Amino acid sequence: MQHYYATDLTGHVALITGAARGIGRACALALAEAGADIVLGLRDIRSDGGLPDEIKSLGRKVLSLQMDVSQINEIKAAFEILEKEFGKLDILVNNAGIGPPNPVEDVTEEDFDYTVSVNLKGTFFVSQYAGKLMKKQKYGRIVNLSSQAGFIALPTESVYCMTKAAIAHLTKSFAVEWGKYNINVNAVAPTFIKTPGTEQWLLDEEFRKEVLSKIVLGRVGIPKDVASAVLFLASPASSLITGTTLMIDGGWTAQ
């Protein structure tokens, strides 16, 4: 019997970019636990942190691909391998992203271009290649990683905030254009999540107190908080949801 609120992903193939650690890693494991075979898009294929073995231990197939999302040639080559190995792609999680802090007056052209290239250009072109496969099969789920920083301003994060706001709107554009192909496109927008990338900031007691004072639920997020929402949006349970951004911010932006 098919369950109405199914999150079973058995038989699905899911690609997660920036999958080596943190939120990307948690998303890969969540989708694998739900039954999906996993493709890992890695900025450095040599640095997988043992994730493929964890996925295999769940009984899933796993494919690691070299995919620096700022490099179109790497995206193209990775999708050629993916299509040869699996012949389809059901789920894409655009997780790869960076956010180096810098006051506005100190941002260099190199800083600007690289952040835009990874966060925005990467999301766009990985989605483009995924969309071509999904259109042919008349099915797809794309989940983009926006951020609460796309909805509020964070000091020293002007370029990051700009790219994450753009991703939220890009999500709407893709959803409207690809809806007729049964492709749902949504985004999640996390608050501060404890990951290897944020740990140094959250260890600063003053910074941590400031962050916690703005999170209504009173705690910093963990990768599983985001992965659970990504699993929902990647599954049949969210079949009538598209073009939206789900806030995972503990109430920060509700104030």
Side-chain angles (χ1 to χ4, degrees), residues 153-228:
L154 297 177
T156 76
E157 293 285 4
S158 57
V159 183
Y160 179 77
C161 290
M162 176 190 72
T163 61
K164 293 302 183 178
I167 285 172
H169 199 76
L170 189 64
T171 296
K172 293 182 180 182
S173 298
F174 283 158
V176 169
E177 192 162 336
W178 287 346
K180 61 186 176 183
Y181 302 108
N182 195 29
I183 301 171
N184 296 45
V185 187
N186 292 291
V188 293
T191 186
F192 285 94
I193 305 296
K194 187 178 180 181
T195 68
T198 62
E199 194 170 18
Q200 62 173 319
W201 308 107
L202 294 172
L203 286 174
D204 183 317
E205 192 59 32
E206 186 176 338
F207 179 84
R208 183 180 175 84
K209 285 181 179 179
E210 176 69 15
V211 166
L212 290 175
S213 72
K214 296 179 179 179
I215 299 178
V216 174
L217 293 180
R219 69 173 178 88
V220 171
I222 58 175
K224 184 179 178 181
D225 293 319
V226 183
S228 297

Side-chain angles (χ1 to χ4, degrees), residues 28-85:
L29 290 171
L31 298 180
E33 286 180 359
D37 293 323
I38 304 297
V39 181
L40 304 174
L42 302 169
R43 185 174 62 85
D44 182 351
I45 198 170
R46 298 165 298 181
S47 303
D48 59 26
L51 181 56
D53 290 336
E54 288 189 56
I55 293 169
K56 288 176 185 176
S57 73
L58 296 170
R60 313 298 172 224
K61 296 177 183 176
V62 60
L63 174 65
S64 296
L65 296 174
Q66 174 63 40
M67 191 189 293
D68 179 342
V69 300
S70 70
Q71 303 298 317
I72 300 296
N73 63 318
E74 289 198 10
I75 296 173
K76 180 176 183 293
F79 269 89
E80 287 173 353
I81 298 170
L82 186 160
E83 188 169 11
K84 181 179 178 182
E85 292 293 321

Side-chain angles (χ1 to χ4, degrees), residues 16 22-32 38 93 95 145 223 226-228 230:
I16 302 93
I23 292 172
R25 183 187 187 90
C27 288
L29 290 171
L31 298 180
I38 304 297
V93 181
N95 169 71
L145 265 291
V226 183
S228 297
V230 169

